[in-house]
Amino acid sequence: MEDHAIPPFDVSDIPFDDGQELRSPPHNYEVEQALLGAVLSNNKAFERISDFLLPVHFADPAHAEIYHACKTLIERGQLANATTLKNFFASNGNLEDLGGTSYLAELQSNVVTIINASEYGKIIHDLYIRRELIDLGEEVVNNAHTHELELSATQQIEGAEQKLYRLAEEGQTEGGFTSFADALAVSMNYIDVAMKQGDGISGVSSGLRDVDKLLGGFHHSDLIILAARPSMGKTAFVTNIAFNIAQSTKPGHNAEGDEVDIPMSVAFFSLEMSADQLASRILSSAAETPSHLMRKGELTEDQFEHVFQVSRALSNYKLFIDDTPNLTIPGLRNRVRRLKRQHGLDIIIVDYLQLMSGAPGGKSDSRVQEVSEISRGLKGIAKEMNVPVIALSQLSRQTEQREDKRPQLSDLRESGSIEQDADVVIFLYRDEYYIAREKPGQGADDSTDKFHEKLANHEARLDAARNKAEMIVGKQRHGPIGSVELHFNGEFTKFSDLAEEDQLPESY
């Protein structure tokens, strides 16, 4: 006969009162008894609570073990009642303090109805969350009294906030299925927005015509990975997008309920450049004034006046920069929550993913695992905030070894789950950068004419690629992959649309 032994439940997972507290932890043994009686008398009661209630949520360890046994049998398709559980508990003696196996029959016989099973389950779950809050509060106090060199007070706060966030997620008992009708209503709303705009854009516009044509804008809750080798213009590209979005508006309502245009809000996390450096780059691009002249103070009076006027206009935009180094996912989540509450939020940009740290005090087995946790965290933030998140990422050096140096999905550095978590993966590529470094030399067997011919061919290739960049979409969960060509002005670090006649004939 097949062995159907019930695996033991680890009662060490259940919080116990150690007797040091003046007040006992929140609990309600009567509700636990009522719920277990309902399950034992009618296993259908389990269906009402199984998606959110676990054995560890019970305050009484014996009740937790009874529920664990019921859960195990019911999920096997077997009957769970006082009779079927009797032999199991008779052998381990875990119910002796409650009167032995007769306690099971007592629970089952005293049941009144299973109608309130769901409400009983929510009460038990709520009391468990309260006990966990008490434990977390004690842990915060104890950690604050401990002076560790590895964790600063700020990192302790972020760690506590992360645990509190996880507890908040665990505290949700209303999750579950969304009806197809409700999902369709949301989908139709997005379609309606795109139809009304008339430009095929249902997400946040990048401000670049051909990019929006291919992507349809940056969509809510999407994680967009922008990857490229150094010097391709990753930061310049996202600062241009941030500026374009910040100077845009969206329909909304004021305090009186009137329809108004609301400025869009951008959160830019710059882990590589300081806030003032990033602001200078945006100012240079917007004013179309070389940044090196601004930095060295070599502007003419007219140029300075122009830059000053542009800076005054830019100061009104809702573009918020956070240059905190070694930012963690909990730290980023806390900042964007606060920003959304105070100023609204339409898009999050992270420059760049590999400069982020894992959870404070966390120990990952490898950097690949840590980066994977970061990418999953960013995707979670995109869903929670319901805004697109653009995260820059490095590429491995293997692109340099190929004849065609256009990046591929396999080039994502420390990829782990980056490709899996991303809804869209974008690569930037500038042929001009590589061609400029391939200037031919004169070989020993080359005649003067042959050498000049090689130089002319090289110059022709360079001219054809000059000031052009490719944005390659290597993955798009909701649309096609392809490529668009953009104009790149290195002097102002500015990306813009190509003239219609200079566009690529079609995506590849």
Side-chain angles (χ1 to χ4, degrees):
M1 181 176 179
E2 188 179 353
D3 184 12
H4 290 295
I6 298 172
F9 176 72
D10 188 4
V11 296
S12 65
D13 290 337
I14 304 297
F16 288 87
D17 185 0
D18 59 8
Q20 297 179 358
E21 296 289 335
L22 296 177
R23 293 177 295 179
S24 63
H27 64 277
N28 190 324
Y29 295 143
E30 291 79 9
V31 168
E32 292 183 3
Q33 290 172 331
L35 178 63
L36 290 174
V39 173
L40 289 170
S41 65
N42 189 337
N43 287 177
K44 288 185 178 180
F46 180 75
E47 298 174 3
R48 301 170 182 249
I49 55 175
S50 59
D51 60 341
F52 67 87
L53 193 66
L54 300 174
V56 72
H57 297 155
F58 286 77
D60 189 315
H63 290 165
E65 192 158 2
I66 294 172
Y67 183 74
H68 169 67
C70 292
K71 180 176 183 291
T72 302
L73 290 178
I74 294 171
E75 289 178 348
R76 285 178 181 171
Q78 297 173 276
L79 181 65
N81 59 26
T83 303
T84 57
L85 294 181
K86 182 177 180 179
N87 291 337
F88 172 72
F89 285 106
S91 62
N92 64 27
N94 285 345
L95 298 183
E96 290 304 319
D97 291 341
L98 298 177
T101 55
S102 61
Y103 183 65
L104 296 171
E106 182 182 341
L107 288 176
Q108 184 170 321
S109 62
N110 288 340
V111 67
V112 178
T113 177
I114 70 167
I115 296 176
N116 295 325
S118 178
E119 291 304 315
Y120 290 160
K122 289 178 182 179
I123 292 172
I124 295 169
H125 188 270
D126 179 78
L127 292 170
Y128 162 77
I129 295 297
R130 292 173 185 272
R131 295 193 298 273
E132 290 295 296
L133 277 171
I134 292 171
D135 291 342
L136 178 57
E138 292 176 348
E139 181 182 340
V140 170
V141 171
N142 292 333
N143 288 343
H145 279 289
T146 303
H147 296 279
E148 295 185 8
L149 295 178
E150 293 183 1
L151 290 179
S152 66
T154 302
Q155 289 175 320
Q156 288 187 16
I157 291 173
E158 291 182 354
E161 288 176 330
Q162 173 72 346
K163 292 177 181 178
L164 191 61
Y165 172 72
R166 288 176 180 169
L167 190 59
E169 285 186 321
E170 194 175 348
Q172 300 299 318
T173 60
E174 302 300 332
F177 291 108
T178 298
S179 72
F180 190 48
D182 290 341
L184 282 175
V186 175
S187 178
M188 285 302 301
N189 181 62
Y190 286 131
I191 296 172
D192 183 54
V193 170
M195 293 290 290
K196 288 179 178 178
Q197 290 183 343
D199 50 14
I201 301 173
S202 58
V204 178
S205 172
S206 68
L208 297 169
R209 177 194 63 224
D210 297 326
V211 172
D212 286 342
K213 282 183 180 179
L214 183 55
L215 297 177
F218 300 117
H219 298 280
H220 300 297
S221 78
D222 273 3
L223 173 61
I224 301 103
I225 297 295
L226 174 66
R229 289 293 295 156
S231 300
M232 292 294 107
K234 296 190 299 292
T235 301
F237 186 73
V238 290
T239 52
N240 291 171
I241 288 175
F243 170 72
N244 292 340
I245 294 173
Q247 66 178 345
S248 303
T249 60
K250 62 181 180 181
H253 297 85
N254 59 18
E256 290 73 31
D258 301 324
E259 290 190 4
V260 295
D261 290 331
I262 301 174
M264 299 189 78
S265 178
V266 180
F268 198 118
F269 292 90
S270 179
L271 285 77
E272 189 171 34
M273 299 172 63
S274 65
D276 60 287
Q277 289 174 331
L278 193 64
S280 296
R281 175 172 285 198
I282 295 174
L283 180 59
S284 169
S285 177
E288 296 192 345
T289 302
S291 59
H292 67 93
L293 296 182
M294 293 167 47
R295 188 169 56 252
K296 294 188 294 184
E298 296 180 354
L299 301 177
T300 65
E301 289 295 328
D302 289 343
Q303 286 177 318
F304 178 79
E305 180 62 25
H306 173 62
V307 170
F308 177 71
Q309 294 300 330
V310 171
S311 70
R312 290 186 62 184
L314 296 184
S315 64
N316 295 319
Y317 293 160
K318 295 170 70 174
L319 175 54
F320 303 93
I321 302 171
D322 188 318
D323 59 2
T324 305
N326 298 318
L327 188 65
T328 62
I329 288 294
L332 189 149
R333 178 182 285 112
N334 295 333
R335 285 164 169 80
V336 295
R337 278 179 179 165
R338 191 181 310 121
L339 181 64
K340 185 171 185 177
R341 186 171 59 250
Q342 295 174 348
H343 302 282
L345 183 64
D346 293 287
I347 193 167
I348 300 169
I349 298 173
V350 180
D351 183 11
Y352 58 89
L353 186 150
Q354 279 84 1
L355 286 180
M356 294 191 69
S357 300
K363 302 293 183 183
S364 296
D365 295 334
S366 68
R367 178 58 180 166
V368 171
Q369 179 182 339
E370 186 176 22
V371 169
S372 297
E373 291 172 358
I374 292 169
S375 70
R376 284 194 296 271
L378 290 175
K379 175 58 182 176
I381 290 172
K383 291 185 68 176
E384 180 190 350
M385 297 292 110
N386 195 33
V387 299
V389 173
I390 302 177
L392 277 60
S393 179
Q394 292 178 332
L395 288 178
S396 65
R397 297 178 183 271
Q398 64 190 38
T399 57
E400 312 289 339
Q401 313 304 319
R402 297 194 297 264
E403 184 176 350
D404 185 353
K405 296 178 173 53
R406 286 174 175 80
Q408 305 168 2
L409 289 173
S410 58
D411 297 327
L412 284 170
R413 184 175 172 186
E414 298 171 326
S415 58
S417 64
I418 294 179
E419 179 186 345
Q420 175 184 331
D421 295 327
D423 298 282
V424 180
V425 178
I426 297 172
F427 300 110
L428 281 183
Y429 175 76
R430 292 195 300 114
D431 216 13
E432 178 187 5
Y433 173 83
Y434 292 105
I435 296 174
R437 285 153 180 75
E438 296 172 356
K439 188 173 182 179
Q442 185 171 5
D445 298 331
D446 288 343
S447 65
T448 302
D449 290 343
K450 182 68 173 176
F451 174 59
H452 285 301
E453 181 182 349
K454 288 166 64 177
L455 284 178
N457 289 337
H458 175 264
E459 192 63 32
R461 291 177 60 217
L462 189 58
D463 285 341
R466 202 178 304 279
N467 295 334
K468 290 183 180 178
E470 283 185 56
M471 190 206 76
I472 304 166
V473 178
K475 174 187 177 181
Q476 185 175 190
R477 203 185 300 275
H478 314 297
I481 61 174
S483 172
V484 296
E485 215 170 39
L486 301 168
H487 182 271
F488 176 70
N489 188 320
E491 187 177 25
F492 309 139
T493 59
K494 183 175 184 178
F495 285 84
S496 57
D497 293 311
L498 280 178
E500 294 285 349
E501 62 271 15
D502 293 328
Q503 294 181 65
L504 288 174
E506 59 183 30
S507 300
Y508 74 95

